[in-house]
Amino acid sequence: MIRQVTGCILSLFLLSCQSKEEKIQPSYGEISEFVYASVTIQPDSLYKVYSAVNGILDKEFVVEGDEVKVGDPILQIINSNPKLNTENAWLSYKLAEKNLSASGTILSSIKDEIKAARLKLINDSIYFKRQEKLWQQQIGSKSAYEQKKLQYELSQNQLDLLENKYEQTRNELETQLKQARNNYKNSMITTGEYTINSKINGKVYALYKNKGEIVNTQQALASLGSDSVFVVEMLVDEVDIVRLKRGQQTYIHLDAYPGEVFEAAIFKIYPKKDEANQTFLVEARFKDIPPTLYPGLSGEANILIDRKENTLSIPKDYLLEDSRVKTEDGMVRVTTGMENMEMVEITSGIAKDTWIYKPSP
């Protein structure tokens, strides 16, 4: 008798527990599938400013937050070496220019030598011709004739050598002048690089050096970017990147704007994977821009992959082991399709009028 009463009590307890289980029926409606991504806001055209030369930061023409235009000076770097190099290059250039000119001593002295050699050649030619006529008339000695001939030929060779020397020297001086001109121009360019100018129309977001600090070519001096156009940088897991494409609608949630959602669209997918965190960088542009943005604002994004209308679906927490649901007739295996964080599509296994129970925690 006691055993029978105990059995009845147990049955009533099970029925009572079963009646308290949450149950629903699948419903038809819209279901959307998303890919999740972490978000960081950055200005468009953001770049870090580097110096092309070493030196000391002498002057800051801007402060953080200033708006700049292309060509506006940002920083001034000083170093005595470039000025000295420029002055030396200028002196070398002027010297090479003078050496090549008509008043230059190098070419002028060779011209004087050519003039003297030409006069000597004329003189030796006269004596040789005279001696040659005498020799033809059998007057004088053969040795005297040969001596005058040799003297004439030596004078001719000497003139030829001097004329060649003149042309060679002139070519060398022209080359030296071109090299000096190029060195001077290069020195002027290098000196100009000590004033760093903005390459964009935008805003100064950061200055990393103070006046008087040493500057080198390896350390960034400032960060500049657009003051009106911002980019949504998203880090997407490698398992999801193949599902993304340009133009896909994206919903942005920013920590600075709790409860608000901003629409954006993908416009660039970077093909290189970041090996450190196994993600890909994807950029989106806002369709409705938040009223105020700053570099580095963070949040999250849901990228719309697909959307279906009139789809049979159930809440995701009613699904067991990704393929079974608990019904009034026991456990039933189902086939699923699209899913998101909350709902999952049911393609077969149960119908709209099937009651399913929420699994116990």
Side-chain angles (χ1 to χ4, degrees):
M1 186 69 177
I2 294 175
R3 185 179 300 171
Q4 184 177 359
V5 171
T6 302
C8 291
I9 293 173
L10 181 59
S11 299
L12 290 171
F13 176 76
L14 291 173
L15 289 171
S16 175
C17 289
Q18 186 174 3
S19 64
K20 291 180 180 179
E21 287 184 301
E22 294 184 37
K23 65 177 183 178
I24 62 168
Q25 289 179 312
S27 60
Y28 281 96
E30 179 186 286
I31 184 170
S32 300
E33 187 173 8
F34 297 90
V35 163
Y36 171 83
S38 60
V39 163
T40 303
I41 304 300
Q42 295 292 2
D44 190 29
S45 304
L46 182 68
Y47 77 99
K48 289 187 176 181
V49 177
Y50 290 86
S51 172
V53 291
N54 299 324
I56 297 174
L57 183 58
D58 180 58
K59 189 173 182 180
E60 296 175 339
F61 297 101
V62 295
V63 297
E64 292 172 325
D66 280 356
E67 294 183 4
V68 292
K69 296 186 180 299
V70 175
D72 285 353
I74 302 172
L75 303 168
Q76 179 74 43
I77 301 168
I78 59 171
N79 192 319
S80 59
N81 289 334
K83 288 187 177 180
L84 293 176
N85 292 338
T86 301
E87 290 177 3
N88 290 335
W90 170 253
L91 293 174
S92 297
Y93 169 61
K94 298 307 291 184
L95 178 60
E97 191 176 47
K98 183 178 179 180
N99 288 337
L100 186 59
S101 66
S103 61
T105 57
I106 297 177
L107 291 180
S108 179
S109 63
I110 298 176
K111 280 184 177 180
D112 291 341
E113 291 181 44
I114 292 173
K115 185 177 180 180
R118 186 173 285 116
L119 291 174
K120 187 176 184 303
L121 175 63
I122 294 172
N123 188 59
D124 290 340
S125 175
I126 293 172
Y127 282 110
F128 168 63
K129 294 296 183 182
R130 183 181 299 168
Q131 191 66 40
E132 186 179 38
K133 286 182 179 180
L134 291 172
W135 177 245
Q136 289 173 354
Q137 297 172 10
Q138 298 297 314
I139 300 173
S141 65
K142 183 177 181 181
S143 61
Y145 163 74
E146 291 178 346
Q147 184 180 1
K148 296 299 182 182
K149 180 181 180 183
L150 178 61
Q151 189 66 38
Y152 167 73
E153 291 174 347
L154 289 174
S155 297
Q156 181 66 60
N157 290 337
Q158 181 64 20
L159 179 60
D160 292 340
L161 287 173
L162 287 173
E163 288 178 341
N164 289 335
K165 179 181 177 181
Y166 178 86
E167 289 299 320
Q168 183 178 355
T169 303
R170 188 170 63 83
N171 290 335
E172 290 176 354
L173 291 176
E174 286 180 350
T175 301
Q176 291 175 8
L177 177 62
K178 291 178 181 178
Q179 291 175 339
R181 185 187 296 115
N182 291 337
N183 289 337
Y184 176 64
K185 288 181 178 179
N186 184 63
S187 181
M188 289 293 291
I189 292 172
T190 302
T191 303
E193 288 176 345
Y194 280 73
T195 300
I196 301 176
N197 303 313
S198 174
K199 299 188 181 302
I200 63 169
N201 295 328
K203 180 183 289 186
V204 179
Y205 285 100
L207 294 172
Y208 302 121
K209 291 284 186 178
N210 296 318
K211 184 178 178 179
E213 288 188 318
I214 295 175
V215 171
N216 59 47
T217 59
Q218 304 299 318
Q219 296 177 318
L221 304 180
S223 286
L224 275 67
S226 172
D227 61 339
S228 58
V229 180
F230 286 82
V231 175
V232 182
E233 292 187 350
M234 303 180 291
L235 295 181
V236 178
D237 193 275
E238 63 176 329
V239 300
D240 296 320
I241 192 65
V242 295
R243 309 175 69 190
L244 303 189
K245 59 185 178 181
R246 291 184 60 184
Q248 283 178 324
Q249 193 168 358
T250 304
Y251 300 95
I252 309 297
H253 306 261
L254 295 176
D255 296 339
Y257 292 92
E260 296 189 52
V261 179
F262 301 96
E263 286 192 33
I266 292 177
F267 79 95
K268 190 171 186 179
I269 300 173
Y270 289 86
K272 181 173 174 55
K273 182 175 75 172
D274 187 335
E275 298 294 342
N277 53 27
Q278 303 296 301
T279 60
F280 286 83
L281 176 62
V282 178
E283 291 184 355
R285 290 276 176 88
F286 283 109
K287 291 183 178 179
D288 49 339
I289 303 176
T292 304
L293 289 174
Y294 291 96
L297 290 181
S298 60
E300 59 183 23
N302 290 300
I303 305 168
L304 181 62
I305 302 301
D306 198 3
R307 177 181 285 140
K308 287 185 178 180
E309 304 285 347
N310 197 30
T311 300
L312 186 67
S313 59
I314 63 172
K316 208 169 183 178
D317 53 2
Y318 277 74
L319 192 63
L320 287 167
E321 301 173 357
D322 294 333
S323 63
R324 295 190 302 160
V325 292
K326 183 179 180 182
T327 70
E328 293 175 326
D329 298 326
M331 301 301 295
V332 174
R333 187 174 297 277
V334 295
T335 304
T336 60
M338 186 186 299
E339 63 179 82
N340 55 36
M341 297 295 291
E342 298 176 352
M343 304 295 288
V344 57
E345 177 188 8
I346 303 299
T347 57
S348 66
I350 58 176
K352 185 178 184 303
D353 56 356
T354 303
W355 287 99
I356 59 174
Y357 293 89
K358 187 175 183 179
S360 300

